[in-house]
Amino acid sequence: MTDNNFDALVIGAGAGGLLTAARLSHLGYKTLVIERLDKVGGRASTDEVEGFKVNNGAIVIELGGITQETFEEVGAKFDIRRPQPPILYRIGKKDVDVTGGGWGFLLSKLTRQGAKLVTGLGAARNDSGMPENEISTADWVRKYTKKESVHGIFRNMCGSVFAVGSEELPARVFLTYFTRKSAFKKFGFCPDGTIGVWKALAEVIENNGGSVWLDAEVTELTLTDGRITGASIRRGGETTDVTSRFTVSDIGPFATLDLVGRENLPADYVAQIEQGNRPCAMISVNFASRRKLSTAPGLLSFATTRRLCYVANFTELCPEMAPEGWHLYQGTGVPKPSVGEFDEKSETELVLQDLRDEIEGFDEARILSINVTRDGWPPQRAVAGYDMPYATPIPNLWNVGDAVKEYGNGGTTACAETAKIVVDEIHGQFPVE
Ligand SMILES: Cc1cc2nc3c(=O)[nH]c(=O)nc-3n(C[C@H](O)[C@H](O)[C@H](O)COP(=O)(O)OP(=O)(O)OC[C@H]3O[C@@H](n4cnc5c(N)ncnc54)[C@H](O)[C@@H]3O)c2cc1C
């Protein structure tokens, strides 16, 4: 093989791309990852801002599930520190730890109707107790209670896990996630910022003989007799052509259409992907203080905020993320509506008002950045429950990432799950040569 001939071409060094490429290179495929930006991690990466490690997307990584399993399988360092308790809920003026008590305990703090809701949740463990897909999570909760604080808790859970409000998330997705999936019960922060975990995967890929090209962009996929046989890559002002036996795209099926050319794909597939392209949005405020502003070692969530879903406390467990003597936090909210158009200025103001109301001392804190993630750089490329297929009409082209999640999953965990499924399919079809 010459330098530019690969078994696997992976477009994008986001969570989905790197989890896939690490598995492929571990199996022995000669793997090339192409990333447009100058660093790995995509929407789960980290920026250096005035000496702070500021996460630009995902802040917590699940422990004990498919993500950790992948790292262990491929031999990558998985440096995640687990806060205990993972999450406190601010109910009234108290920050409540519900660890061990589960839903019953949490809901009993909010409403006398808690038992009925717990029964509804229990019923969802059987298919017959699952609501129709058209019923939103908010409508499902409304069947049991009108209480604002209960709706607030459910709204903020939908926001935290799926990056949409409870009006936009099918109840079936919410209930599938909490009754049948690992449900992010255990999670933690990476002390290097979330980028640390993806750097560890990139290292494994390179140790396995693969390559990760940064500052490089796939501009076109080469189609020969209905199969992808390689790509044109713009890198350092030059175009390089590479060949591949198969290709995996982590840039979302919608952007992948452009690389293949819509005219080369069946019209019904193109229509399905164009309709399914419904990115959601989030607003994150990164702030720092010399004073400690939260007693929650992990996340603090809320029952009665306007938009704010959680405040993450990074430095309690990972002091390396801030200069000495500083505490680093992030407050994140979901706008209304969280899918489609919204007024960025007024929605950001509502997140800031919540932070002023909930976090004593926020007014004196140093705001490092305010990130509105939406459109082409969203928190989830497809709303959970409306995911697109990972397979494509081209037999040696697959999609991975958070637009092609399995039903009822979200975030980087969903990326790890699809990566495994896609790599298993590839391995079945393309023997290692
Ligand atoms: C504010 C926020 C908070 C979140 N919180 C969490 C959380 O706490 N936990 C969690 O698990 N998830 C969280 N998520 C979701 C998680 O970040 C995403 O689901 C995940 O990072 C998506 O990864 P991906 O691989 O699908 O795509 P991406 O990260 O978008 O990766 C795609 C990569 O492809 C590159 N690319 C695009 N086009 C090209 C091209 N033509 N050539 C080469 N490269 C290209 C891009 O630069 C990008 O790096 C959060 C997201 C946001 C925005």
Short mmCIF file of all heavy atoms in Angstrom, two decimals, residues 365-403:
data_model
loop_
_atom_site.label_atom_id
_atom_site.label_comp_id
_atom_site.label_asym_id
_atom_site.label_seq_id
_atom_site.Cartn_x
_atom_site.Cartn_y
_atom_site.Cartn_z
N ALA A 365 -19.15 37.00 39.22
CA ALA A 365 -18.30 36.00 38.56
C ALA A 365 -17.75 36.53 37.25
O ALA A 365 -18.29 37.48 36.67
CB ALA A 365 -19.11 34.73 38.30
N ARG A 366 -16.63 35.91 36.80
CA ARG A 366 -16.03 36.30 35.53
C ARG A 366 -16.65 35.42 34.42
O ARG A 366 -16.53 34.20 34.49
CB ARG A 366 -14.53 36.04 35.65
CG ARG A 366 -13.71 36.40 34.47
CD ARG A 366 -12.27 36.44 34.99
NE ARG A 366 -11.33 36.09 33.98
CZ ARG A 366 -10.08 35.71 34.23
NH1 ARG A 366 -9.66 35.60 35.48
NH2 ARG A 366 -9.27 35.42 33.25
N ILE A 367 -17.31 36.05 33.48
CA ILE A 367 -17.91 35.26 32.39
C ILE A 367 -16.83 35.03 31.33
O ILE A 367 -16.26 35.97 30.78
CB ILE A 367 -19.14 35.97 31.80
CG1 ILE A 367 -20.20 36.04 32.90
CG2 ILE A 367 -19.66 35.22 30.57
CD1 ILE A 367 -21.59 36.35 32.49
N LEU A 368 -16.51 33.76 31.09
CA LEU A 368 -15.43 33.43 30.15
C LEU A 368 -15.97 33.35 28.73
O LEU A 368 -15.30 33.73 27.79
CB LEU A 368 -14.81 32.09 30.54
CG LEU A 368 -14.15 32.06 31.92
CD1 LEU A 368 -13.84 30.63 32.34
CD2 LEU A 368 -12.89 32.91 31.93
N SER A 369 -17.18 32.81 28.58
CA SER A 369 -17.78 32.74 27.24
C SER A 369 -19.24 32.37 27.36
O SER A 369 -19.67 31.76 28.35
CB SER A 369 -17.06 31.70 26.36
OG SER A 369 -17.19 30.42 26.92
N ILE A 370 -19.99 32.78 26.35
CA ILE A 370 -21.39 32.35 26.23
C ILE A 370 -21.50 31.69 24.86
O ILE A 370 -21.22 32.33 23.84
CB ILE A 370 -22.36 33.54 26.35
CG1 ILE A 370 -22.20 34.21 27.72
CG2 ILE A 370 -23.80 33.07 26.12
CD1 ILE A 370 -23.13 35.39 27.98
N ASN A 371 -21.83 30.40 24.84
CA ASN A 371 -21.90 29.67 23.56
C ASN A 371 -23.33 29.29 23.24
O ASN A 371 -23.97 28.61 24.04
CB ASN A 371 -21.09 28.37 23.63
CG ASN A 371 -19.62 28.64 23.79
OD1 ASN A 371 -19.12 29.70 23.43
ND2 ASN A 371 -18.90 27.68 24.36
N VAL A 372 -23.79 29.73 22.10
CA VAL A 372 -25.10 29.27 21.63
C VAL A 372 -24.83 28.23 20.55
O VAL A 372 -24.28 28.54 19.50
CB VAL A 372 -25.93 30.45 21.08
CG1 VAL A 372 -27.30 29.95 20.61
CG2 VAL A 372 -26.09 31.53 22.14
N THR A 373 -25.15 26.98 20.86
CA THR A 373 -24.88 25.91 19.90
C THR A 373 -26.20 25.61 19.19
O THR A 373 -27.20 25.30 19.83
CB THR A 373 -24.35 24.65 20.62
OG1 THR A 373 -25.05 24.49 21.83
CG2 THR A 373 -22.88 24.79 20.93
N ARG A 374 -26.20 25.70 17.87
CA ARG A 374 -27.43 25.53 17.10
C ARG A 374 -27.09 25.28 15.63
O ARG A 374 -25.92 25.28 15.26
CB ARG A 374 -28.31 26.78 17.23
CG ARG A 374 -27.64 28.05 16.70
CD ARG A 374 -28.49 29.29 16.91
NE ARG A 374 -29.77 29.20 16.21
CZ ARG A 374 -30.68 30.18 16.21
NH1 ARG A 374 -30.46 31.29 16.86
NH2 ARG A 374 -31.80 30.03 15.56
N ASP A 375 -28.10 25.05 14.82
CA ASP A 375 -27.98 24.89 13.37
C ASP A 375 -26.91 23.85 12.98
O ASP A 375 -27.03 22.71 13.35
CB ASP A 375 -27.72 26.25 12.70
CG ASP A 375 -28.81 27.25 13.08
OD1 ASP A 375 -29.97 26.81 13.23
OD2 ASP A 375 -28.51 28.45 13.26
N GLY A 376 -25.84 24.31 12.32
CA GLY A 376 -24.81 23.36 11.86
C GLY A 376 -23.91 22.85 12.98
O GLY A 376 -23.10 21.96 12.76
N TRP A 377 -24.01 23.42 14.17
CA TRP A 377 -23.16 23.00 15.31
C TRP A 377 -24.07 22.83 16.54
O TRP A 377 -23.97 23.54 17.52
CB TRP A 377 -22.09 24.07 15.55
CG TRP A 377 -20.90 23.60 16.33
CD1 TRP A 377 -20.63 23.88 17.64
CD2 TRP A 377 -19.83 22.77 15.88
NE1 TRP A 377 -19.46 23.27 18.03
CE2 TRP A 377 -18.94 22.60 16.96
CE3 TRP A 377 -19.52 22.16 14.67
CZ2 TRP A 377 -17.77 21.83 16.87
CZ3 TRP A 377 -18.36 21.40 14.58
CH2 TRP A 377 -17.50 21.25 15.66
N PRO A 378 -24.99 21.87 16.47
CA PRO A 378 -26.02 21.75 17.50
C PRO A 378 -25.63 20.79 18.62
O PRO A 378 -24.67 20.02 18.48
CB PRO A 378 -27.19 21.15 16.71
CG PRO A 378 -26.49 20.23 15.73
CD PRO A 378 -25.16 20.87 15.40
N PRO A 379 -26.37 20.77 19.71
CA PRO A 379 -26.09 19.76 20.75
C PRO A 379 -26.47 18.34 20.33
O PRO A 379 -25.88 17.38 20.82
CB PRO A 379 -26.93 20.22 21.95
CG PRO A 379 -27.90 21.20 21.42
CD PRO A 379 -27.36 21.76 20.16
N GLN A 380 -27.47 18.20 19.45
CA GLN A 380 -27.81 16.90 18.86
C GLN A 380 -28.25 17.19 17.42
O GLN A 380 -29.11 18.05 17.21
CB GLN A 380 -28.98 16.21 19.58
CG GLN A 380 -28.78 15.97 21.05
CD GLN A 380 -27.91 14.76 21.34
OE1 GLN A 380 -28.35 13.63 21.32
NE2 GLN A 380 -26.63 15.01 21.61
N ARG A 381 -27.68 16.45 16.47
CA ARG A 381 -28.04 16.74 15.07
C ARG A 381 -29.45 16.30 14.73
O ARG A 381 -30.03 16.77 13.76
CB ARG A 381 -27.09 16.01 14.13
CG ARG A 381 -25.83 16.78 13.88
CD ARG A 381 -25.10 16.19 12.69
NE ARG A 381 -23.68 16.31 12.87
CZ ARG A 381 -23.01 17.45 12.79
NH1 ARG A 381 -23.64 18.57 12.52
NH2 ARG A 381 -21.72 17.47 13.01
N ALA A 382 -29.98 15.34 15.48
CA ALA A 382 -31.37 14.93 15.27
C ALA A 382 -32.01 14.84 16.65
O ALA A 382 -31.37 14.40 17.61
CB ALA A 382 -31.43 13.58 14.58
N VAL A 383 -33.26 15.26 16.74
CA VAL A 383 -33.98 15.14 18.01
C VAL A 383 -34.17 13.64 18.28
O VAL A 383 -34.54 12.88 17.37
CB VAL A 383 -35.35 15.85 17.92
CG1 VAL A 383 -36.13 15.67 19.21
CG2 VAL A 383 -35.15 17.33 17.61
N ALA A 384 -33.89 13.24 19.51
CA ALA A 384 -34.03 11.81 19.85
C ALA A 384 -35.46 11.37 19.54
O ALA A 384 -36.43 12.07 19.86
CB ALA A 384 -33.71 11.59 21.33
N GLY A 385 -35.58 10.21 18.93
CA GLY A 385 -36.90 9.72 18.51
C GLY A 385 -37.14 9.98 17.04
O GLY A 385 -38.04 9.41 16.44
N TYR A 386 -36.34 10.88 16.46
CA TYR A 386 -36.47 11.20 15.03
C TYR A 386 -35.12 11.00 14.33
O TYR A 386 -34.70 11.81 13.50
CB TYR A 386 -36.94 12.65 14.85
CG TYR A 386 -38.26 12.93 15.53
CD1 TYR A 386 -38.30 13.50 16.80
CD2 TYR A 386 -39.46 12.58 14.91
CE1 TYR A 386 -39.51 13.73 17.43
CE2 TYR A 386 -40.67 12.81 15.54
CZ TYR A 386 -40.69 13.39 16.80
OH TYR A 386 -41.89 13.61 17.42
N ASP A 387 -34.43 9.96 14.75
CA ASP A 387 -33.08 9.75 14.22
C ASP A 387 -33.10 9.20 12.80
O ASP A 387 -34.08 8.60 12.37
CB ASP A 387 -32.32 8.79 15.14
CG ASP A 387 -32.04 9.46 16.46
OD1 ASP A 387 -31.23 10.39 16.46
OD2 ASP A 387 -32.67 9.09 17.47
N MET A 388 -32.00 9.40 12.13
CA MET A 388 -31.88 8.95 10.74
C MET A 388 -31.13 7.61 10.71
O MET A 388 -30.50 7.23 11.70
CB MET A 388 -31.14 10.02 9.94
CG MET A 388 -31.98 11.29 9.82
SD MET A 388 -31.06 12.65 9.09
CE MET A 388 -30.61 13.58 10.55
N PRO A 389 -31.18 6.90 9.58
CA PRO A 389 -30.48 5.60 9.53
C PRO A 389 -28.98 5.77 9.42
O PRO A 389 -28.51 6.72 8.80
CB PRO A 389 -31.04 4.95 8.26
CG PRO A 389 -31.52 6.09 7.42
CD PRO A 389 -31.91 7.21 8.34
N TYR A 390 -28.23 4.83 10.02
CA TYR A 390 -26.76 4.92 9.87
C TYR A 390 -26.32 4.32 8.53
O TYR A 390 -25.31 4.70 7.98
CB TYR A 390 -26.04 4.25 11.05
CG TYR A 390 -26.40 2.82 11.31
CD1 TYR A 390 -25.88 1.80 10.53
CD2 TYR A 390 -27.27 2.48 12.35
CE1 TYR A 390 -26.23 0.48 10.75
CE2 TYR A 390 -27.63 1.16 12.58
CZ TYR A 390 -27.12 0.17 11.78
OH TYR A 390 -27.46 -1.13 11.99
N ALA A 391 -27.13 3.38 8.01
CA ALA A 391 -26.78 2.78 6.71
C ALA A 391 -27.16 3.77 5.61
O ALA A 391 -28.03 4.61 5.80
CB ALA A 391 -27.53 1.48 6.53
N THR A 392 -26.49 3.68 4.49
CA THR A 392 -26.83 4.55 3.35
C THR A 392 -27.11 3.67 2.13
O THR A 392 -26.79 2.47 2.14
CB THR A 392 -25.65 5.50 3.02
OG1 THR A 392 -24.64 4.73 2.34
CG2 THR A 392 -25.06 6.17 4.24
N PRO A 393 -27.66 4.23 1.07
CA PRO A 393 -27.89 3.41 -0.13
C PRO A 393 -26.58 2.97 -0.79
O PRO A 393 -26.59 2.12 -1.67
CB PRO A 393 -28.65 4.36 -1.06
CG PRO A 393 -29.17 5.45 -0.18
CD PRO A 393 -28.21 5.58 0.94
N ILE A 394 -25.47 3.56 -0.38
CA ILE A 394 -24.17 3.15 -0.93
C ILE A 394 -23.60 2.06 -0.01
O ILE A 394 -23.45 2.28 1.19
CB ILE A 394 -23.23 4.38 -1.03
CG1 ILE A 394 -23.86 5.34 -2.03
CG2 ILE A 394 -21.82 3.97 -1.40
CD1 ILE A 394 -23.13 6.60 -2.28
N PRO A 395 -23.31 0.87 -0.57
CA PRO A 395 -23.02 -0.27 0.30
C PRO A 395 -21.77 -0.14 1.15
O PRO A 395 -21.66 -0.83 2.16
CB PRO A 395 -22.91 -1.45 -0.68
CG PRO A 395 -22.81 -0.86 -2.04
CD PRO A 395 -23.36 0.52 -1.99
N ASN A 396 -20.83 0.72 0.77
CA ASN A 396 -19.62 0.82 1.61
C ASN A 396 -19.48 2.22 2.25
O ASN A 396 -18.38 2.69 2.51
CB ASN A 396 -18.36 0.45 0.83
CG ASN A 396 -18.07 1.43 -0.30
OD1 ASN A 396 -18.94 2.22 -0.69
ND2 ASN A 396 -16.86 1.41 -0.81
N LEU A 397 -20.63 2.83 2.52
CA LEU A 397 -20.65 4.14 3.21
C LEU A 397 -21.63 4.09 4.37
O LEU A 397 -22.80 3.72 4.20
CB LEU A 397 -21.06 5.25 2.23
CG LEU A 397 -21.29 6.63 2.83
CD1 LEU A 397 -19.98 7.24 3.34
CD2 LEU A 397 -21.94 7.59 1.81
N TRP A 398 -21.15 4.47 5.55
CA TRP A 398 -22.00 4.50 6.75
C TRP A 398 -21.91 5.89 7.40
O TRP A 398 -20.91 6.60 7.21
CB TRP A 398 -21.51 3.50 7.79
CG TRP A 398 -21.87 2.08 7.52
CD1 TRP A 398 -22.94 1.39 8.02
CD2 TRP A 398 -21.14 1.13 6.72
NE1 TRP A 398 -22.92 0.09 7.56
CE2 TRP A 398 -21.85 -0.10 6.77
CE3 TRP A 398 -19.98 1.20 5.95
CZ2 TRP A 398 -21.42 -1.24 6.10
CZ3 TRP A 398 -19.56 0.07 5.27
CH2 TRP A 398 -20.27 -1.13 5.35
N ASN A 399 -22.94 6.21 8.19
CA ASN A 399 -22.89 7.40 9.05
C ASN A 399 -22.79 6.96 10.51
O ASN A 399 -23.36 5.93 10.88
CB ASN A 399 -24.17 8.23 8.90
CG ASN A 399 -24.21 9.00 7.60
OD1 ASN A 399 -23.41 9.90 7.38
ND2 ASN A 399 -25.12 8.63 6.71
N VAL A 400 -22.08 7.75 11.29
CA VAL A 400 -22.09 7.57 12.75
C VAL A 400 -22.39 8.93 13.38
O VAL A 400 -22.59 9.92 12.67
CB VAL A 400 -20.73 7.01 13.28
CG1 VAL A 400 -20.53 5.57 12.87
CG2 VAL A 400 -19.56 7.88 12.84
N GLY A 401 -22.40 8.99 14.71
CA GLY A 401 -22.62 10.27 15.38
C GLY A 401 -24.05 10.45 15.85
O GLY A 401 -24.87 9.54 15.76
N ASP A 402 -24.35 11.64 16.37
CA ASP A 402 -25.61 11.81 17.09
C ASP A 402 -26.82 12.12 16.21
O ASP A 402 -27.90 12.39 16.71
CB ASP A 402 -25.46 12.84 18.22
CG ASP A 402 -25.15 14.23 17.71
OD1 ASP A 402 -25.17 14.46 16.50
OD2 ASP A 402 -24.87 15.11 18.56
N ALA A 403 -26.66 12.03 14.88
CA ALA A 403 -27.84 12.12 14.01
C ALA A 403 -28.40 10.73 13.75
O ALA A 403 -29.52 10.59 13.27
CB ALA A 403 -27.47 12.77 12.67
#
